[in-house]
Amino acid sequence: MEISTLTTYHCLAFVWYFFVAYSITHVRTEERPSEVFLYGGQWKYLTVLNLVLQAVFYGVSFLADVLRLIKKLRCAKCVISSRDLLFSVLAFPVSTFVSISFWTLYTYNRELVYPKSLDGVIPLWLNHAMHTAVLPFAVLEILATPHRYPAKKKGVILLGFVAFLYISWVLWIYSVTGEWVYPLFALFSPAGLAAFFAGSLAVIISFYNFGEFLNRMIWGQSKFCF
């Protein structure tokens, strides 16, 4: 993809994610079902955190493109390194995990992840923007430009660390409120919940590996031309 076209795409993607994140974080308080929005507000939901993550990623990508366009190659190289690390370790695997896990559980029993009471609060388009569109955006990014992946051990450790932070946040919220972020978690015993978290970590690591595989199959060991 030409750099000018890529710049336009990344700019539009940034604006889109910023708009979606703004929309979900400004759902009017009086409309929120009290049993759903407890301690931590929307910031306990991986879906909302992912929207912010994607907005940051596309903002960094847009900055990298602009620096390349104006021939600030030394700065561009540094920003591109940050962009690639952000995409490989977080943006792609988290988006894929959010979309696939949400719709799998929604199909099985929506009350476990997205209670019907939310239908009157969150518009249908916003639900799909948060849980559906994130996956094709992630795949399109791989098709649009190559990304350098870190060493496998480093990537997995960073991803695992971020997953640990989110799980800790979920457990902290439960310790404070006595309510789980997702009703699904209430179905498990402590051992079962630990197994579920471990399984989820294994799944998200598999998405990390899948993203690396796609990137290598499409671009090989491509290097950037500045």
Side-chain angles (χ1 to χ4, degrees), residues 187-209:
L187 301 179
F188 295 105
S189 65
L193 190 61
F196 177 82
F197 286 147
S200 297
L201 179 59
V203 169
I204 201 169
I205 289 175
S206 73
F207 291 147
Y208 168 88
N209 290 329

Side-chain angles (χ1 to χ4, degrees), residues 38-198:
L38 295 169
Y39 181 87
Q42 295 103 323
W43 303 110
K44 60 179 174 291
Y45 297 109
L46 186 59
T47 296
V48 177
L49 295 175
N50 180 56
L51 294 176
V52 176
L53 167 64
Q54 300 305 317
V56 171
F57 165 71
Y58 282 106
V60 172
S61 297
F62 175 62
L63 175 60
D65 296 337
V66 170
L67 291 172
R68 292 174 66 189
L69 280 173
I70 64 177
K71 307 300 182 182
K72 297 291 185 180
L73 303 186
R74 183 173 299 178
C75 293
K77 186 175 181 179
C78 180
V79 176
I80 285 173
S81 295
S82 299
R83 178 202 70 183
D84 289 348
L85 186 65
L86 191 59
F87 178 77
S88 61
V89 174
L90 293 177
F92 181 85
V94 173
S95 281
T96 307
F97 180 81
V98 164
S99 183
I100 292 178
S101 63
F102 175 83
W103 288 113
T104 299
L105 292 170
Y106 185 99
T107 301
Y108 174 71
N109 183 354
R110 65 169 298 177
E111 294 299 318
L112 297 177
V113 290
Y114 194 83
K116 194 173 181 61
S117 57
L118 284 178
D119 287 346
V121 179
I122 300 175
L124 181 62
W125 74 265
L126 188 52
N127 181 22
H128 283 292
M130 295 187 297
H131 298 116
T132 307
V134 292
L135 181 54
F137 263 106
V139 174
L140 182 58
E141 177 63 23
I142 286 185
L143 297 174
T145 187
H147 296 274
R148 287 196 182 102
Y149 272 66
K152 181 62 65 69
K153 182 178 180 180
K154 177 182 178 182
V156 171
I157 288 176
L158 288 174
L159 178 57
F161 178 70
V162 173
F164 171 78
L165 290 179
Y166 179 68
I167 291 171
S168 298
W169 174 228
V170 168
L171 294 175
W172 170 258
I173 291 171
Y174 177 75
S175 71
V176 171
T177 67
E179 298 284 345
W180 287 110
V181 171
Y182 298 103
L184 169 69
F185 297 161
L187 301 179
F188 295 105
S189 65
L193 190 61
F196 177 82
F197 286 147

